[in-house]
Amino acid sequence: MNQTLMLPNTFLAAVSNSPIGRILSRRQVYLARNACAAFAIALLFWVTTAFAQSSPPQQEPDSNKQPQSSGVPTSVDANSLGSAVEVKQSKRILWIFPNYRAVSANTQLPPLSLKNKFWLATQDSFDYSSFVTAGILAGFSQAKKSYPEFGQGAKGYGRYYWHAVADQAVGNYLTEAIVPAVTHEDPRYYTLGHGEFFKRTGYAVSRLLITRTDAGGRTFDFAEIVGNGAGAGISNLYYPSRERTWTKTGQKWVTQIALDGVFNIVKEFWPDINHAVFHSKY
């Protein structure tokens, strides 16, 4: 799910109006935000680990008894725990946020057709939660007067709102449908599902640069890098002229890629968190 391109400007406006904004540079603000996001993900993973460790230990089998034949393995190692527990990706995270692009670990799927790639982008762009998210971001941006040209009141809010919706749709269609169709990439996120925290986190972040092809191979993730860059450039067509500088366009591009990296980490660990904390209710 792509976040709106309004987010970096809104965030910077909020920080610049506070005493902290007089101390921290824009680069430091971005680093602080990403560090907080990484800390939150790490905390959720530790909660998951604590739940797993709190389960009662299994009894040691009696060595004098003959082993019984069974089609199920009698023991599993740490790396096979994910497949043994059968944790799966859900269509939504916490019943709200769409998770259509996430594929469960050890799952083989046929390639997406052109029609299905566009349908995937449509689901992410026009899901009910995307309109709620756009409304929240629009209200926050208006309160901070991120774009004074939009004005205030109901008319001004309407301008903020449709810009937020447009940002989401442009980003989703470019990264999930248009560019993948040209480069024959699979826009879905394939969960690793096993290994240590840092291994899985590194895998999730690396998917910003590496993705699957429709044939099942590996390739550079043109959809992520080129698609988000094109989305940042296209947004200049409908934003005020003062927002159309190379610097601000580059900020939108880099920030969107960083946010997608955070969302990849969330997708990677969500099945474990859902299983351990929420008992797969979501």
Side-chain angles (χ1 to χ4, degrees):
M1 178 179 62
N2 285 280
Q3 295 298 306
T4 64
L5 296 172
M6 297 170 63
L7 184 56
N9 295 310
T10 300
F11 179 79
L12 290 173
V15 174
S16 61
N17 292 331
S18 67
I20 300 176
R22 303 186 186 98
I23 301 174
L24 297 177
S25 66
R26 287 191 175 191
R27 179 176 177 82
Q28 289 173 320
V29 170
Y30 286 134
L31 292 175
R33 182 200 55 195
N34 292 335
C36 291
F39 176 78
I41 298 299
L43 181 61
L44 288 174
F45 179 74
W46 289 333
V47 170
T48 303
T49 304
F51 271 82
Q53 292 178 345
S54 64
S55 59
Q58 296 181 348
Q59 287 186 332
E60 292 293 332
D62 189 349
S63 60
N64 294 326
K65 292 183 178 180
Q66 293 293 331
Q68 296 179 351
S69 61
S70 173
V72 180
T74 56
S75 63
V76 293
D77 57 22
N79 289 335
S80 64
L81 181 59
S83 58
V85 176
E86 293 290 337
V87 289
K88 298 292 184 181
Q89 289 282 3
S90 57
K91 293 299 182 182
R92 294 185 182 275
I93 296 176
L94 296 175
W95 283 345
I96 301 174
F97 305 105
N99 193 33
Y100 304 118
R101 287 201 294 159
V103 179
S104 300
N106 304 317
T107 301
Q108 299 294 329
L109 295 176
L112 288 173
S113 64
L114 177 62
K115 177 182 178 181
N116 287 335
K117 288 177 181 178
F118 273 90
W119 175 241
L120 185 65
T122 301
Q123 285 182 302
D124 281 342
S125 300
F126 299 103
D127 183 82
Y128 71 85
S129 64
S130 66
F131 293 102
V132 175
T133 302
I136 294 173
L137 291 173
F140 185 76
S141 297
Q142 186 181 38
K144 295 298 181 181
K145 298 181 180 179
S146 300
Y147 305 101
E149 298 89 341
F150 291 172
Q152 296 295 306
K155 188 175 181 180
Y157 179 80
R159 294 192 182 100
Y160 279 101
Y161 185 79
W162 80 254
H163 277 78
V165 173
D167 287 344
Q168 292 182 136
V170 169
N172 287 334
Y173 277 101
L174 283 169
T175 59
E176 300 176 24
I178 297 174
V179 176
V182 174
T183 58
H184 301 287
E185 297 175 41
D186 190 335
R188 294 171 291 193
Y189 177 80
Y190 285 82
T191 309
L192 180 61
H194 61 81
E196 298 179 351
F197 172 73
F198 290 106
K199 177 182 178 180
R200 295 176 67 181
T201 301
Y203 168 84
V205 174
S206 71
R207 298 308 96 181
L208 296 174
L209 299 176
I210 304 171
T211 189
R212 292 195 183 192
T213 65
D214 289 336
R218 296 202 307 174
T219 186
F220 179 77
D221 197 343
F222 291 98
E224 177 66 33
I225 305 303
V226 177
N228 279 317
I234 290 174
S235 70
N236 289 334
L237 298 176
Y238 52 84
Y239 269 89
S241 57
R242 72 181 183 90
E243 302 297 327
R244 300 173 187 175
T245 65
W246 285 102
T247 299
K248 292 190 176 182
T249 302
Q251 287 175 349
K252 294 176 183 178
W253 181 28
V254 173
T255 302
Q256 185 57 55
I257 293 174
L259 289 172
D260 286 345
V262 173
F263 296 136
N264 281 353
I265 297 174
V266 173
K267 292 174 183 177
E268 176 65 33
F269 291 106
W270 167 245
D272 304 272
I273 297 170
N274 188 29
H275 176 78
V277 179
F278 304 108
H279 306 291
S280 300
K281 291 181 180 179
Y282 296 100

